Amino acid sequence: MPQSIFKPEHELFRKTVRSFIDREIAPHYETWEKEGQVSRDVWRKAGEQGLLLTDIPENYGGGGADFLASVVMIEEMAKRVFTAPGFRLHSDIVAPYIYNYGSEEQKRAWLPKMAKGEVITAIAMTEPGTGSDLKGIRTSAVRRGNELVLNGQKTFITNGGLADLVVVAAKTDAAAGAKGISLVLVETDRAGFRRGRNLKKIGQNAQDTAELFFEDVRVPPSNILGEEGRGFAYLMNQLPRERLLVAIGAVAIMEAALGWTIAYTRERKAFGKPLAEFQNTRFKLAEVKTEVTVARVFLDHCLRLFLDGELDATTAAMSKWWLSELDNRVLDTCLQLFGGYGYMLEYPIARAYADARVHRIYAGTTEIMKELVARSL
Ligand SMILES: Cc1cc2nc3c(=O)[nH]c(=O)nc-3n(C[C@H](O)[C@H](O)[C@H](O)COP(=O)(O)OP(=O)(O)OC[C@H]3O[C@@H](n4cnc5c(N)ncnc54)[C@H](O)[C@@H]3O)c2cc1C
């Protein structure tokens, strides 16, 4: 499909991203997978190349580009099946929170360092006891004198192993329900902060996903992001963007998988002819090609809405659940056509299959997305 929404400057940026991936990510990826996390060095190099915070204005150290530069980054990483480093979470989820809701002081303190890759960030909403039901979080941030004291535990936190700064969703008023939730900036060198295990996952193995513990962690009240008690509202405002990011990755990986599968089935022979000549293979590939085409058209529609500031929560939810369910199905179909090789991690289809499973879970599960869509009917 021609990617008509991109302009020549985006395609130029795509070339920079591709060469960075070839040089700085591909050669190290296997080691990072074994170690369960990437190097700090790659973050700094990405910062030097202007690959972080691309759509944050230049006066805060960002790239000053539009959202399509983020899309290019996400697509190129997805196509190579590199789910780490967690640039997407840092640049496209955490940075917008700080940029949109932070005080001038917070923006000046953090965004330039984040853009340089000197500070790595995470966002911590999920807890062992609650994920989908965000209102049920128990981590507290209580005022004591002129300090805010945090206590609680978070889990499944992307970039949690390396993060220098964590945006923590915490209850500043336990009795006020959703209105008692605030977002608090917590520097990870504060006393009482502790990282737990780097969690072992079925995919995305170079990405650090960690437990975080807060035991009487003291921060100044000026670490509250935006207004106290508005955390839930901020999360609801930003979640459509987060969901769209998953949808973008889903379409990119499906397009890549289709390409690999066409190439493989033309080359591999069984019963004296290429797999691509069996009617089943042809029909499966025809189905995938059709589904991927429909997916791309819908995603481009969502991207245009987002660029015009008109992507509503319902449409974002539709894109997230439908495209992530579809990518799981498409990757399964493609993997099958690789036979046993599809199960071997040296083939990108295997890693893509394992990495993509979580698309249906994080950033809001398929079931929660359907709830959101149903509520709008
Ligand atoms: C690799 C990875 C990275 C992650 N990164 C982060 C991160 O950086 N920061 C962060 O805060 N979180 C992160 N998460 C957490 C993720 O967002 C949650 O796992 C997700 O929101 C689901 O929450 P849960 O795991 O508690 O499942 P639960 O909420 O317990 O849900 C379990 C099942 O019940 C279903 N369910 C729940 N409620 C309903 C309902 N009302 N109707 C129907 N079905 C329902 C769910 O859909 C799901 O199938 C990450 C998770 C993973 C696996």
PDB file of all heavy atoms in Angstrom, residues 260-281:
ATOM      1  N   TRP A 260       7.694 -11.390   4.467  1.00  0.00           N
ATOM      2  CA  TRP A 260       8.574 -12.540   4.756  1.00  0.00           C
ATOM      3  C   TRP A 260       7.942 -13.833   4.263  1.00  0.00           C
ATOM      4  O   TRP A 260       8.617 -14.729   3.767  1.00  0.00           O
ATOM      5  CB  TRP A 260       8.809 -12.741   6.262  1.00  0.00           C
ATOM      6  CG  TRP A 260       9.288 -11.563   7.029  1.00  0.00           C
ATOM      7  CD1 TRP A 260      10.126 -10.583   6.610  1.00  0.00           C
ATOM      8  CD2 TRP A 260       8.949 -11.248   8.398  1.00  0.00           C
ATOM      9  NE1 TRP A 260      10.326  -9.683   7.625  1.00  0.00           N
ATOM     10  CE2 TRP A 260       9.630 -10.061   8.719  1.00  0.00           C
ATOM     11  CE3 TRP A 260       8.143 -11.852   9.367  1.00  0.00           C
ATOM     12  CZ2 TRP A 260       9.518  -9.463   9.984  1.00  0.00           C
ATOM     13  CZ3 TRP A 260       8.027 -11.270  10.619  1.00  0.00           C
ATOM     14  CH2 TRP A 260       8.719 -10.078  10.913  1.00  0.00           C
ATOM     15  N   THR A 261       6.608 -13.935   4.442  1.00  0.00           N
ATOM     16  CA  THR A 261       5.933 -15.197   4.146  1.00  0.00           C
ATOM     17  C   THR A 261       5.841 -15.425   2.642  1.00  0.00           C
ATOM     18  O   THR A 261       6.008 -16.553   2.168  1.00  0.00           O
ATOM     19  CB  THR A 261       4.537 -15.235   4.822  1.00  0.00           C
ATOM     20  OG1 THR A 261       4.677 -14.781   6.162  1.00  0.00           O
ATOM     21  CG2 THR A 261       3.964 -16.632   4.836  1.00  0.00           C
ATOM     22  N   ILE A 262       5.610 -14.360   1.907  1.00  0.00           N
ATOM     23  CA  ILE A 262       5.590 -14.501   0.439  1.00  0.00           C
ATOM     24  C   ILE A 262       6.967 -14.991  -0.028  1.00  0.00           C
ATOM     25  O   ILE A 262       7.083 -15.957  -0.782  1.00  0.00           O
ATOM     26  CB  ILE A 262       5.210 -13.163  -0.245  1.00  0.00           C
ATOM     27  CG1 ILE A 262       3.747 -12.805   0.062  1.00  0.00           C
ATOM     28  CG2 ILE A 262       5.439 -13.247  -1.755  1.00  0.00           C
ATOM     29  CD1 ILE A 262       3.342 -11.399  -0.371  1.00  0.00           C
ATOM     30  N   ALA A 263       8.018 -14.342   0.478  1.00  0.00           N
ATOM     31  CA  ALA A 263       9.374 -14.713   0.054  1.00  0.00           C
ATOM     32  C   ALA A 263       9.671 -16.171   0.426  1.00  0.00           C
ATOM     33  O   ALA A 263      10.191 -16.944  -0.392  1.00  0.00           O
ATOM     34  CB  ALA A 263      10.391 -13.773   0.706  1.00  0.00           C
ATOM     35  N   TYR A 264       9.328 -16.546   1.643  1.00  0.00           N
ATOM     36  CA  TYR A 264       9.658 -17.898   2.113  1.00  0.00           C
ATOM     37  C   TYR A 264       8.913 -18.967   1.306  1.00  0.00           C
ATOM     38  O   TYR A 264       9.473 -19.983   0.895  1.00  0.00           O
ATOM     39  CB  TYR A 264       9.327 -18.039   3.610  1.00  0.00           C
ATOM     40  CG  TYR A 264       9.708 -19.385   4.161  1.00  0.00           C
ATOM     41  CD1 TYR A 264      11.027 -19.647   4.538  1.00  0.00           C
ATOM     42  CD2 TYR A 264       8.765 -20.405   4.265  1.00  0.00           C
ATOM     43  CE1 TYR A 264      11.398 -20.894   5.017  1.00  0.00           C
ATOM     44  CE2 TYR A 264       9.121 -21.655   4.746  1.00  0.00           C
ATOM     45  CZ  TYR A 264      10.433 -21.900   5.128  1.00  0.00           C
ATOM     46  OH  TYR A 264      10.798 -23.127   5.586  1.00  0.00           O
ATOM     47  N   THR A 265       7.608 -18.737   1.084  1.00  0.00           N
ATOM     48  CA  THR A 265       6.810 -19.781   0.423  1.00  0.00           C
ATOM     49  C   THR A 265       7.151 -19.901  -1.071  1.00  0.00           C
ATOM     50  O   THR A 265       6.847 -20.916  -1.695  1.00  0.00           O
ATOM     51  CB  THR A 265       5.289 -19.532   0.594  1.00  0.00           C
ATOM     52  OG1 THR A 265       4.981 -18.208   0.153  1.00  0.00           O
ATOM     53  CG2 THR A 265       4.866 -19.726   2.034  1.00  0.00           C
ATOM     54  N   ARG A 266       7.781 -18.865  -1.619  1.00  0.00           N
ATOM     55  CA  ARG A 266       8.226 -18.981  -3.013  1.00  0.00           C
ATOM     56  C   ARG A 266       9.482 -19.844  -3.102  1.00  0.00           C
ATOM     57  O   ARG A 266       9.709 -20.542  -4.078  1.00  0.00           O
ATOM     58  CB  ARG A 266       8.565 -17.601  -3.567  1.00  0.00           C
ATOM     59  CG  ARG A 266       7.342 -16.870  -4.049  1.00  0.00           C
ATOM     60  CD  ARG A 266       7.770 -15.536  -4.639  1.00  0.00           C
ATOM     61  NE  ARG A 266       6.599 -14.752  -4.972  1.00  0.00           N
ATOM     62  CZ  ARG A 266       6.628 -13.431  -5.086  1.00  0.00           C
ATOM     63  NH1 ARG A 266       7.738 -12.765  -4.904  1.00  0.00           N
ATOM     64  NH2 ARG A 266       5.531 -12.788  -5.398  1.00  0.00           N
ATOM     65  N   GLU A 267      10.268 -19.772  -2.053  1.00  0.00           N
ATOM     66  CA  GLU A 267      11.553 -20.443  -2.063  1.00  0.00           C
ATOM     67  C   GLU A 267      11.468 -21.899  -1.597  1.00  0.00           C
ATOM     68  O   GLU A 267      12.045 -22.795  -2.196  1.00  0.00           O
ATOM     69  CB  GLU A 267      12.483 -19.683  -1.130  1.00  0.00           C
ATOM     70  CG  GLU A 267      13.931 -19.775  -1.496  1.00  0.00           C
ATOM     71  CD  GLU A 267      14.720 -18.790  -0.665  1.00  0.00           C
ATOM     72  OE1 GLU A 267      14.735 -17.585  -1.011  1.00  0.00           O
ATOM     73  OE2 GLU A 267      15.271 -19.245   0.350  1.00  0.00           O
ATOM     74  N   ARG A 268      10.720 -22.119  -0.546  1.00  0.00           N
ATOM     75  CA  ARG A 268      10.636 -23.455   0.069  1.00  0.00           C
ATOM     76  C   ARG A 268       9.804 -24.401  -0.801  1.00  0.00           C
ATOM     77  O   ARG A 268       8.706 -24.043  -1.222  1.00  0.00           O
ATOM     78  CB  ARG A 268       9.992 -23.296   1.456  1.00  0.00           C
ATOM     79  CG  ARG A 268       9.725 -24.581   2.185  1.00  0.00           C
ATOM     80  CD  ARG A 268      10.951 -25.097   2.872  1.00  0.00           C
ATOM     81  NE  ARG A 268      10.667 -26.282   3.668  1.00  0.00           N
ATOM     82  CZ  ARG A 268      11.611 -27.026   4.207  1.00  0.00           C
ATOM     83  NH1 ARG A 268      12.885 -26.712   4.064  1.00  0.00           N
ATOM     84  NH2 ARG A 268      11.298 -28.096   4.912  1.00  0.00           N
ATOM     85  N   LYS A 269      10.349 -25.582  -0.989  1.00  0.00           N
ATOM     86  CA  LYS A 269       9.620 -26.541  -1.823  1.00  0.00           C
ATOM     87  C   LYS A 269       9.103 -27.712  -1.002  1.00  0.00           C
ATOM     88  O   LYS A 269       9.749 -28.145  -0.048  1.00  0.00           O
ATOM     89  CB  LYS A 269      10.542 -27.086  -2.926  1.00  0.00           C
ATOM     90  CG  LYS A 269      10.871 -26.064  -3.999  1.00  0.00           C
ATOM     91  CD  LYS A 269      11.390 -26.786  -5.251  1.00  0.00           C
ATOM     92  CE  LYS A 269      11.573 -25.839  -6.412  1.00  0.00           C
ATOM     93  NZ  LYS A 269      12.732 -24.955  -6.264  1.00  0.00           N
ATOM     94  N   ALA A 270       7.968 -28.244  -1.393  1.00  0.00           N
ATOM     95  CA  ALA A 270       7.449 -29.494  -0.826  1.00  0.00           C
ATOM     96  C   ALA A 270       6.754 -30.239  -1.960  1.00  0.00           C
ATOM     97  O   ALA A 270       6.137 -29.595  -2.828  1.00  0.00           O
ATOM     98  CB  ALA A 270       6.463 -29.205   0.290  1.00  0.00           C
ATOM     99  N   PHE A 271       6.856 -31.533  -1.986  1.00  0.00           N
ATOM    100  CA  PHE A 271       6.256 -32.353  -3.042  1.00  0.00           C
ATOM    101  C   PHE A 271       6.611 -31.821  -4.431  1.00  0.00           C
ATOM    102  O   PHE A 271       5.771 -31.722  -5.327  1.00  0.00           O
ATOM    103  CB  PHE A 271       4.726 -32.435  -2.859  1.00  0.00           C
ATOM    104  CG  PHE A 271       4.344 -33.071  -1.541  1.00  0.00           C
ATOM    105  CD1 PHE A 271       4.071 -32.285  -0.414  1.00  0.00           C
ATOM    106  CD2 PHE A 271       4.294 -34.457  -1.413  1.00  0.00           C
ATOM    107  CE1 PHE A 271       3.751 -32.864   0.791  1.00  0.00           C
ATOM    108  CE2 PHE A 271       3.972 -35.048  -0.196  1.00  0.00           C
ATOM    109  CZ  PHE A 271       3.707 -34.247   0.907  1.00  0.00           C
ATOM    110  N   GLY A 272       7.849 -31.350  -4.546  1.00  0.00           N
ATOM    111  CA  GLY A 272       8.361 -30.970  -5.856  1.00  0.00           C
ATOM    112  C   GLY A 272       7.992 -29.577  -6.347  1.00  0.00           C
ATOM    113  O   GLY A 272       8.303 -29.222  -7.481  1.00  0.00           O
ATOM    114  N   LYS A 273       7.285 -28.791  -5.533  1.00  0.00           N
ATOM    115  CA  LYS A 273       7.004 -27.422  -6.013  1.00  0.00           C
ATOM    116  C   LYS A 273       7.010 -26.426  -4.859  1.00  0.00           C
ATOM    117  O   LYS A 273       6.878 -26.818  -3.687  1.00  0.00           O
ATOM    118  CB  LYS A 273       5.682 -27.377  -6.776  1.00  0.00           C
ATOM    119  CG  LYS A 273       4.472 -27.823  -5.993  1.00  0.00           C
ATOM    120  CD  LYS A 273       3.241 -27.705  -6.897  1.00  0.00           C
ATOM    121  CE  LYS A 273       1.979 -28.102  -6.155  1.00  0.00           C
ATOM    122  NZ  LYS A 273       0.779 -27.997  -6.951  1.00  0.00           N
ATOM    123  N   PRO A 274       7.161 -25.149  -5.180  1.00  0.00           N
ATOM    124  CA  PRO A 274       7.188 -24.155  -4.095  1.00  0.00           C
ATOM    125  C   PRO A 274       5.870 -24.153  -3.309  1.00  0.00           C
ATOM    126  O   PRO A 274       4.802 -24.360  -3.898  1.00  0.00           O
ATOM    127  CB  PRO A 274       7.356 -22.820  -4.833  1.00  0.00           C
ATOM    128  CG  PRO A 274       7.871 -23.171  -6.174  1.00  0.00           C
ATOM    129  CD  PRO A 274       7.340 -24.539  -6.497  1.00  0.00           C
ATOM    130  N   LEU A 275       5.998 -23.917  -2.000  1.00  0.00           N
ATOM    131  CA  LEU A 275       4.792 -23.861  -1.154  1.00  0.00           C
ATOM    132  C   LEU A 275       3.784 -22.865  -1.724  1.00  0.00           C
ATOM    133  O   LEU A 275       2.574 -23.049  -1.606  1.00  0.00           O
ATOM    134  CB  LEU A 275       5.169 -23.404   0.255  1.00  0.00           C
ATOM    135  CG  LEU A 275       6.104 -24.283   1.074  1.00  0.00           C
ATOM    136  CD1 LEU A 275       6.398 -23.613   2.421  1.00  0.00           C
ATOM    137  CD2 LEU A 275       5.503 -25.660   1.299  1.00  0.00           C
ATOM    138  N   ALA A 276       4.320 -21.795  -2.332  1.00  0.00           N
ATOM    139  CA  ALA A 276       3.451 -20.722  -2.839  1.00  0.00           C
ATOM    140  C   ALA A 276       2.530 -21.190  -3.952  1.00  0.00           C
ATOM    141  O   ALA A 276       1.589 -20.485  -4.315  1.00  0.00           O
ATOM    142  CB  ALA A 276       4.297 -19.556  -3.328  1.00  0.00           C
ATOM    143  N   GLU A 277       2.793 -22.390  -4.500  1.00  0.00           N
ATOM    144  CA  GLU A 277       1.922 -22.870  -5.580  1.00  0.00           C
ATOM    145  C   GLU A 277       0.765 -23.735  -5.084  1.00  0.00           C
ATOM    146  O   GLU A 277      -0.134 -24.056  -5.855  1.00  0.00           O
ATOM    147  CB  GLU A 277       2.751 -23.619  -6.627  1.00  0.00           C
ATOM    148  CG  GLU A 277       3.575 -22.654  -7.455  1.00  0.00           C
ATOM    149  CD  GLU A 277       4.437 -23.330  -8.508  1.00  0.00           C
ATOM    150  OE1 GLU A 277       4.131 -24.481  -8.895  1.00  0.00           O
ATOM    151  OE2 GLU A 277       5.439 -22.706  -8.913  1.00  0.00           O
ATOM    152  N   PHE A 278       0.789 -24.101  -3.817  1.00  0.00           N
ATOM    153  CA  PHE A 278      -0.359 -24.863  -3.283  1.00  0.00           C
ATOM    154  C   PHE A 278      -1.546 -23.917  -3.111  1.00  0.00           C
ATOM    155  O   PHE A 278      -1.373 -22.769  -2.667  1.00  0.00           O
ATOM    156  CB  PHE A 278      -0.021 -25.493  -1.934  1.00  0.00           C
ATOM    157  CG  PHE A 278       1.007 -26.589  -2.031  1.00  0.00           C
ATOM    158  CD1 PHE A 278       2.289 -26.386  -1.559  1.00  0.00           C
ATOM    159  CD2 PHE A 278       0.688 -27.815  -2.605  1.00  0.00           C
ATOM    160  CE1 PHE A 278       3.248 -27.373  -1.653  1.00  0.00           C
ATOM    161  CE2 PHE A 278       1.645 -28.817  -2.713  1.00  0.00           C
ATOM    162  CZ  PHE A 278       2.928 -28.595  -2.232  1.00  0.00           C
ATOM    163  N   GLN A 279      -2.717 -24.410  -3.405  1.00  0.00           N
ATOM    164  CA  GLN A 279      -3.879 -23.514  -3.322  1.00  0.00           C
ATOM    165  C   GLN A 279      -4.085 -22.993  -1.904  1.00  0.00           C
ATOM    166  O   GLN A 279      -4.445 -21.827  -1.705  1.00  0.00           O
ATOM    167  CB  GLN A 279      -5.139 -24.226  -3.816  1.00  0.00           C
ATOM    168  CG  GLN A 279      -6.283 -23.245  -3.973  1.00  0.00           C
ATOM    169  CD  GLN A 279      -7.601 -23.907  -4.286  1.00  0.00           C
ATOM    170  OE1 GLN A 279      -8.012 -24.848  -3.601  1.00  0.00           O
ATOM    171  NE2 GLN A 279      -8.267 -23.439  -5.323  1.00  0.00           N
ATOM    172  N   ASN A 280      -3.824 -23.859  -0.914  1.00  0.00           N
ATOM    173  CA  ASN A 280      -4.009 -23.384   0.466  1.00  0.00           C
ATOM    174  C   ASN A 280      -3.111 -22.187   0.776  1.00  0.00           C
ATOM    175  O   ASN A 280      -3.550 -21.206   1.358  1.00  0.00           O
ATOM    176  CB  ASN A 280      -3.735 -24.508   1.471  1.00  0.00           C
ATOM    177  CG  ASN A 280      -3.862 -23.997   2.893  1.00  0.00           C
ATOM    178  OD1 ASN A 280      -4.955 -23.641   3.330  1.00  0.00           O
ATOM    179  ND2 ASN A 280      -2.743 -23.895   3.603  1.00  0.00           N
ATOM    180  N   THR A 281      -1.839 -22.282   0.343  1.00  0.00           N
ATOM    181  CA  THR A 281      -0.909 -21.176   0.585  1.00  0.00           C
ATOM    182  C   THR A 281      -1.407 -19.919  -0.113  1.00  0.00           C
ATOM    183  O   THR A 281      -1.433 -18.829   0.462  1.00  0.00           O
ATOM    184  CB  THR A 281       0.498 -21.534   0.050  1.00  0.00           C
ATOM    185  OG1 THR A 281       0.855 -22.825   0.524  1.00  0.00           O
ATOM    186  CG2 THR A 281       1.527 -20.509   0.492  1.00  0.00           C
TER     187      THR A 281
END
